[in-house]
Amino acid sequence: MKIDRLISALLLVVLAATAGMAVADDDNFYSWMLTIERKGEVAAVTDEVYKEECGSCHFAYQPGLLPAASWRKLLAAKALEDHFGENAELDEDVRRPLLALLEKHAADNSYYKRSRKIMASLKGATPLRITEVPYIRRKHDEIPARLIKPNAKVKSLSYCDACHQQADKGNYDDDTVSIPGHGDWTW
Amino acid sequence: MNRLLLVLLIPATLMTSVTAAVAAAIPTSLPELLDFYAADSAQPFDAERGKEFWLKKTPADDGKMRDCTVCHGEKLSVSGKHVKTGKVIDPMAPSANKERYTDRKKVEKWFKRNCKWTIGRECTAQEKGDVLKYLSLH
């Protein structure tokens, strides 16, 4: 009987530990409530299929940068045939799980700070372009136009990682910005 | 005790996150790929015809001309650059890139997308085979 109790106690500890991990791993209300880790930025992309299918042509934008309704429009089978002028068709067995992944981690389902701010600024709008999100436009207001469009190494706000050196980690903090031909961007 | 064990084990199992299945690759080799396309082709594959196809310019809606080199670059043994996003595209020459032509699913996906983008329609098995034959010589 004593050993039984010992086993139960051990199991409890293991369960508590794994439960904590599962929660910390997930981006939901409980993890937001229960972890001391600050969810200050945007959840990073970890999915290999997403990295391969979307990231082989362009920066793998974090799902938390747009609401689920935007991803549904973008990832519609018909829409992918003309994806901003490119053909980005996906087989159904790839498209469906990818869309599910994007919906699951979309801004409206995320507790990361930037995703919350994006949602608050959208006021129900569901843009196709991340650069049309009011919060993101506002955050870039202070950058002189000459550093963007005429800058051959930047060209457009669409190329997040041209200036945000840790964009692939979901970190868009001011301190990580370095504009090509200009340098660090800190205040 | 058994019941207690179960009560503890079931949630523990449920909590273990299960990652979604990875897009199913179809492992292949160049000879196998050529055989795959040969089944639907009338003529034997020809590298010269493949080269012509690779370099053939087609006018696009945006008024510009498109051919394969627009993104893949002039030299097959070095990386190309996506014409719009600037993303690096690994070399097409199998001698420079061992990953090339090892997954039929991937080959088919890119043929479909890129043929439609470049020439406005899907490529035939004959065209795919000719191009592969040309690319395989590099």
Side-chain angles (χ1 to χ4, degrees), chain B residues 8 13 21 25-26 32 46 53 63 67 84-85 92 121 133:
Chain B
L8 287 170
T13 321
I26 305 175
E32 280 172 357
D46 179 66
F53 190 75
D67 64 27
K84 196 159 166 188
T85 66
M92 295 306 284
R121 61 165 172 84
K133 185 96 186 185

Side-chain angles (χ1 to χ4, degrees), chain B residues 32-128:
Chain B
E32 280 172 357
L33 264 178
L34 290 168
D35 283 348
F36 175 72
Y37 293 121
D40 296 312
S41 306
Q43 305 172 60
F45 297 134
D46 179 66
E48 204 42 49
R49 207 165 44 220
K51 184 180 177 181
E52 262 171 51
F53 190 75
W54 184 261
L55 299 173
K56 189 172 167 252
K57 293 190 185 334
T58 308
D61 292 342
D62 59 9
K64 292 183 188 141
M65 298 300 266
R66 288 178 185 174
D67 64 27
C68 305
T69 66
V70 166
C71 292
H72 291 293
E74 299 290 336
K75 221 168 159 232
L76 294 169
S77 56
V78 299
S79 297
K81 231 171 123 187
H82 191 285
V83 65
K84 196 159 166 188
T85 66
K87 192 100 184 175
V88 171
I89 302 170
D90 292 334
M92 295 306 284
S95 62
N97 180 4
K98 292 204 164 22
E99 292 282 295
R100 281 280 174 240
Y101 322 119
T102 56
D103 175 3
R104 200 175 85 203
K105 178 113 179 159
K106 194 168 172 178
V107 171
E108 278 286 88
K109 177 181 79 181
W110 288 109
F111 262 138
K112 190 176 179 185
R113 284 180 175 180
N114 295 350
C115 288
K116 284 192 178 179
W117 186 82
T118 317
I119 64 170
R121 61 165 172 84
E122 287 197 48
C123 294
T124 63
Q126 180 77 53
E127 288 163 339
K128 293 178 193 173

